[in-house]
Amino acid sequence: MKRREFIKNTTLSSAGLALGTSLASCNNVPGEVDKNTSTAISSEAPTIPVVLATWHVEAATTKAMEILENGGSALDAVEQGCKIEEANEKGQSVGKGGLPDRDGHVTLDACIMDQNGNCGAVVYLKDITHAVSVARKVMEETPHVMLAGEGARQFAIEQGFKPEDLLTEASKEAWNKWKVEAKYKPIINIENHDTIGMLTIDKQGNISGACTTSGLAYKMAGRVGDSPIIGSGLFVDNEIGAAVATGLGEEVVKTVGSFLVVELMRQGKTPQQACEEAIRRIVDKPNSNYNNFQVGYIAVNKRGETGCYSIHQYFSMTKFQNGKNEQIQSDFFNKEA
Ligand code: SD4
């Protein structure tokens, strides 16, 4: 089977769902690798500040780097960078315009973590575009780490966020089309980029991270993925580095993926080696059906060295470092397809 057919036909049998977001994106032509992009291995010496994000999100990394270059904090950079994608209605997997659950509700998951190990998260948040900023408010204004559902929504409104309908015409149309058959195995959409996960190191050498998503398209009502779960979708340790995940959240949660990547770096692995080992933990499980889903990790260590790795081809990250804002194709595990 050709790679593109594989992507289009693959479903997530474990969850009975497919990623409504992309396995392959990064380029405007689905499934084609842009020859101008770099590979993950770079010979250049790492420097800080650095911004790293999942997928092809140059506007977001530009915004984050602008903040860092002006002496701003890693935390501000990561929040402001992610907000660019949340507000982008064309991205059907993040914030406004995200694809809804099977009942037509857009529900968002997000988290944020700073250099002091503080963190905040929101899960199953409705009606608020900037979930990452609500997560930051949870971190800074409450004694809690995570708020869910209606409580999160009420908290956001009290904090001054304006409720709005996140279901855009385009996403509604996609949902209506899906409803014709309502198979809980929608075709994977390979044209959009994905969940945004972002990691930043500021001029002081402090590290922060954030992750924000509308999760799996047409998921069961109430489903929460890895993205808002500290340690799974995101982990930051200011002494070591940080990691963030994208792809089928259920598989990331089962291996506590981002925490694992950071712990592997603590043990001396490079970010690249750590991402590869974390993917191996998923594919090496007995009865792993990894042919049917994608997971990708990106990571950065304290020195500003970076890495990324995924199960299948066409995952990419955007890296802004050494004055270059570039899309980098990830190496991947499954070379058989
Ligand atoms: C989730 N990890 O909700 C997120 C979604 C995602 O590619 O990254 N999709 O499972």
Side-chain angles (χ1 to χ4, degrees), residues 20-89:
T21 49
S22 59
L23 283 185
S25 82
C26 338
N27 305 296
N28 293 331
V29 184
E32 281 182 13
V33 178
D34 181 348
K35 304 269 185 324
N36 296 321
T37 56
S38 313
T39 55
I41 314 293
S42 160
S43 53
E44 274 184 42
T47 59
I48 57 168
V50 58
V51 178
L52 202 60
T54 52
W55 303 106
H56 191 196
V57 289
E58 275 170 22
T61 50
T62 298
K63 179 72 193 173
M65 184 52 86
E66 194 182 293
I67 290 165
L68 297 180
E69 287 293 1
N70 288 329
S73 70
L75 185 65
D76 284 343
V78 91
E79 179 191 2
Q80 295 303 321
C82 285
K83 282 178 74 177
I84 299 283
E85 284 306 311
E86 286 178 335
N88 175 7
E89 291 183 23

Side-chain angles (χ1 to χ4, degrees), residues 19 21-22 109 194-195 213 215-216 223 225-227 246-250:
L19 292 178
T21 49
S22 59
D109 294 338
D194 218 313
T195 295
T213 187
L216 298 186
R223 183 264 185 189
D226 62 312
S227 302
T246 184
L248 183 60
E250 280 73 5

Side-chain angles (χ1 to χ4, degrees), residues 235-247:
F235 198 69
V236 176
D237 183 324
N238 205 44
E239 282 184 7
I240 305 298
V244 70
T246 184

